[in-house]
Amino acid sequence: MRIYVNNLNELGDNEKITINGWVQETRKMKNLMFIILRDSTGTVQITAKKDNLGNYNEIYDITRESVISVSGILNKKSVSKSGIEINADKIEILSYAATPLPMGVIDRVSVDFDTRLNNRFIDLRKPENLFIFKFESELLFGIREYMNNNNFLEVHTPKTVAAATEGGADLFRLKYFEKNAYLNQSPQLYKEILISSGFDKVFEVGPAFRAEKENTVRHLNEFTSIDVEIAFADDNYVMSLLENSLVYAINRTVKKLGDGVSEYNGSLKDVKSPFPRITYEESIDYLNSKGFKISFGDDFSPEAMKTLADKFDNFYFITGWPADLRPFYTMPDENNPKLTRSFDLQLNDIEITSGAQRIHDYRMLEQNFLIKGLNKNDFEFYEKAFKYGMPPHAGWGLGLERLVMNLLHLSNVRESTLFPRDRTRLSP
Ligand code: ATP
Ligand code: MN
């Protein structure tokens, strides 16, 4: 059985153990040295005495961030900071770290973000960065569990496609033998085809690609989209699914990761559903009362979003967006054809989800191809699925990195992306 640092508390005093990790720091005297060993769960002091180690001289010169395996006796009455140390009787060097390190793991001096991303393998050794991805993993597990408990099928749709999901310019084109293809912007069209196939409730976690022209703190060129589509459902149904699944996943994650979460965001324990709702038109009235000059049909600027966010604690929905601002497949509002049965979920001032009831009548879709200036022929494979029995349906797409960024109060979506892709970065 592998022992990790966070298991040491449960073990008995004087127990003989083996533990593996990185050399975070060393403190040396002549015949005695201390090594702070770090693994994925924490750090522990290793006490290495010349008398106990045949290769003491070699260990004495060990470089920071080298990888070692330590066997020894657990001392739970240590005077070290954690009260625990390991008295080594064998230390094996598994891998030497070269010097100097491209950046430090525990050094107080801060390096700029580019240096961090260029050396992401080291940057991610920092426990606070590893934590972001533990959090993401737990959160996603919670969402999956919620979907699984509610009879969803998890599906995988193609990312190389012949037609753009929404037309538009933010597409990556690639050569596909003799043809042109694109990297998919969203699984939208395929999710809907599966609804006509009778899959009933589908969800997908996968990459989405957008050739975003601007380099902003909330845009990536490749992000992870959590997508949901449900047959015989309307916009309200999928909004409650969204808030309930998020609250479930957040509560589960906070329970599991506890204090680590509070270090990033102390109020995550208090997230409750249902989330407040405001319509697009109410938002305009509110913002204009605060000095903005927004007309019907305008999208909201980041400044407007900040002002609106002040009205709410954390999550809130903006519903009833104008048809002009939504994709062609969005269901119009039966009472006002200029509006749609659509919503965005906001977390503070940033959009994290867009969703809607979708059009299920292919004649209505065809009208919208015309209105939006899309070439009907490009969408034949999609429209076909609407002609032979398509239920009403609704769904949403949620950006995982944006969700984590906002839940942990990170200032840049790249912080919650292992290896971000942006306008200037394609490596590592
Ligand atoms: P925005 O207006 O913020 O650029 P969008 O409305 O174009 O986003 P949607 O097509 O609605 O995005 O995508 C659904 C969700 O996917 C968004 O709410 C967001 O969480 C996420 N998302 C979209 N584009 C990006 C991106 N470039 N980088 C990271 N996440 C994104
Ligand atoms: Mn959107």
Side-chain angles (χ1 to χ4, degrees):
M1 197 187 80
R2 288 258 325 263
I3 302 276
Y4 295 88
V5 170
N6 70 350
N7 300 135
L8 296 176
N9 262 323
E10 305 142 25
L11 298 177
D13 196 20
N14 290 322
E15 208 155 322
K16 185 160 170 51
I17 58 149
T18 298
I19 195 159
N20 307 315
W22 284 256
V23 173
Q24 179 163 294
E25 264 181 287
T26 55
R27 249 184 323 128
K28 305 177 194 178
M29 277 129 277
K30 195 154 170 276
N31 297 320
L32 167 72
M33 70 184 285
F34 300 106
I35 299 172
I36 302 300
L37 174 142
R38 184 187 69 247
D39 71 8
S40 61
T41 67
T43 56
V44 64
Q45 175 175 301
I46 310 293
T47 304
K49 292 182 184 142
K50 187 170 185 178
D51 292 348
N52 298 343
L53 297 168
N55 60 346
Y56 185 76
N57 291 343
E58 209 186 357
I59 301 298
Y60 199 80
D61 292 329
I62 190 108
T63 48
R64 269 191 184 194
E65 295 303 312
S66 292
V67 177
I68 56 174
S69 178
V70 179
S71 301
I73 306 292
L74 186 61
N75 172 8
K76 297 186 82 173
K77 300 187 184 87
S78 153
V79 292
S80 73
K81 233 194 302 168
S82 64
I84 287 188
E85 70 182 319
I86 295 163
N87 287 313
D89 47 39
K90 187 175 161 208
I91 300 181
E92 208 181 328
I93 300 173
L94 303 177
S95 159
Y96 263 111
T99 53
L101 295 168
M103 60 176 277
V105 176
I106 49 162
D107 305 1
R108 290 265 176 266
V109 283
S110 59
V111 294
D112 62 65
F113 202 24
D114 262 341
T115 307
R116 288 182 47 205
L117 291 179
N118 288 338
N119 299 287
R120 193 63 158 154
F121 69 100
I122 284 210
D123 186 47
L124 293 170
R125 290 182 191 179
K126 292 173 190 278
E128 66 269 29
N129 291 343
L130 170 61
F131 182 83
I132 295 170
F133 298 95
K134 284 187 183 168
F135 180 87
E136 182 192 270
S137 173
E138 290 298 337
L139 196 68
L140 187 56
F141 187 88
I143 294 173
R144 274 214 167 86
E145 189 170 65
Y146 190 90
M147 298 306 167
N148 188 266
N149 289 343
N150 285 280
N151 300 320
F152 277 79
L153 292 193
E154 182 166 359
V155 298
H156 302 280
T157 63
K159 304 306 157 202
T160 40
V161 295
T165 307
E166 303 176 12
D170 55 352
L171 270 170
F172 287 111
R173 203 185 251 231
L174 67 136
K175 280 207 197 73
Y176 195 78
F177 304 107
E178 296 77 28
K179 291 187 184 135
N180 278 323
Y182 303 99
L183 290 175
N184 212 359
Q185 298 161 300
S186 141
Q188 183 61 32
L189 307 185
Y190 288 94
K191 289 192 295 185
E192 293 192 71
I193 293 174
L194 292 175
I195 291 300
S196 108
S197 303
F199 277 35
D200 204 69
K201 290 173 165 182
V202 295
F203 89 102
E204 174 165 7
V205 182
F209 301 90
R210 311 251 171 120
E212 303 282 359
K213 287 157 291 293
E214 288 160 89
N215 230 354
T216 78
V217 294
R218 61 199 164 86
H219 287 100
L220 298 161
N221 289 336
E222 177 175 346
F223 67 94
T224 307
S225 183
I226 303 173
D227 267 86
V228 157
E229 205 66 36
I230 309 181
F232 308 102
D234 64 6
D235 42 344
N236 285 309
Y237 187 97
V238 294
M239 284 162 85
S240 6
L241 173 81
L242 178 56
E243 57 200 2
N244 291 334
S245 58
L246 281 175
V247 169
Y248 177 86
I250 291 169
N251 286 343
R252 188 189 162 283
T253 305
V254 169
K255 212 185 241 170
K256 183 126 185 219
L257 300 180
D259 291 346
V261 180
S262 341
E263 274 172 40
Y264 280 94
N265 181 351
S267 62
L268 262 192
K269 311 184 278 304
D270 310 322
V271 173
K272 288 188 184 63
S273 62
F275 301 151
R277 298 179 181 192
I278 184 170
T279 68
Y280 170 82
E281 289 177 302
E282 287 162 357
S283 306
I284 293 186
D285 289 345
Y286 176 77
L287 288 167
N288 286 348
S289 81
K290 297 278 170 188
F292 286 86
K293 292 201 166 59
I294 302 170
S295 322
F296 183 88
D298 292 348
D299 211 342
F300 300 134
S301 65
E303 294 70 42
M305 282 306 191
K306 280 207 174 71
T307 303
L308 191 59
D310 289 342
K311 245 174 103 66
F312 302 98
D313 285 340
N314 41 60
F315 289 104
Y316 60 98
F317 285 108
I318 306 176
T319 63
W321 289 81
D324 285 348
L325 292 179
R326 301 306 271 206
F328 71 87
Y329 47 78
T330 312
M331 182 68 98
D333 184 333
E334 60 274 28
N335 302 317
N336 180 350
K338 280 190 157 358
L339 296 178
T340 56
R341 303 189 60 146
S342 62
F343 58 87
D344 277 3
L345 179 65
Q346 300 284 132
L347 178 48
N348 308 317
D349 59 331
I350 290 189
E351 173 195 325
I352 58 157
T353 314
S354 280
Q357 183 167 341
R358 325 294 192 186
I359 294 171
H360 58 278
D361 179 329
Y362 75 92
R363 282 158 295 232
M364 220 159 155
L365 271 183
E366 287 191 350
Q367 263 176 6
N368 266 4
F369 290 143
L370 285 176
I371 294 171
K372 300 273 181 187
L374 296 169
N375 184 350
K376 184 183 151 187
N377 296 334
D378 289 346
F379 294 92
E380 206 196 320
F381 75 100
Y382 165 75
E383 200 195 344
K384 207 170 162 188
F386 286 68
K387 288 188 176 165
Y388 304 96
M390 173 61 98
H393 56 284
W396 41 256
L398 161 71
L400 179 61
E401 295 85 354
R402 280 222 194 145
L403 176 65
V404 171
M405 167 196 181
N406 286 294
L407 287 177
L408 294 185
H409 292 164
L410 308 174
S411 57
N412 193 321
V413 71
R414 289 162 187 77
E415 296 276 7
S416 54
T417 310
L418 286 172
F419 301 104
R421 295 291 177 256
D422 64 27
R423 186 73 196 237
T424 54
R425 183 173 290 281
L426 191 54
S427 175

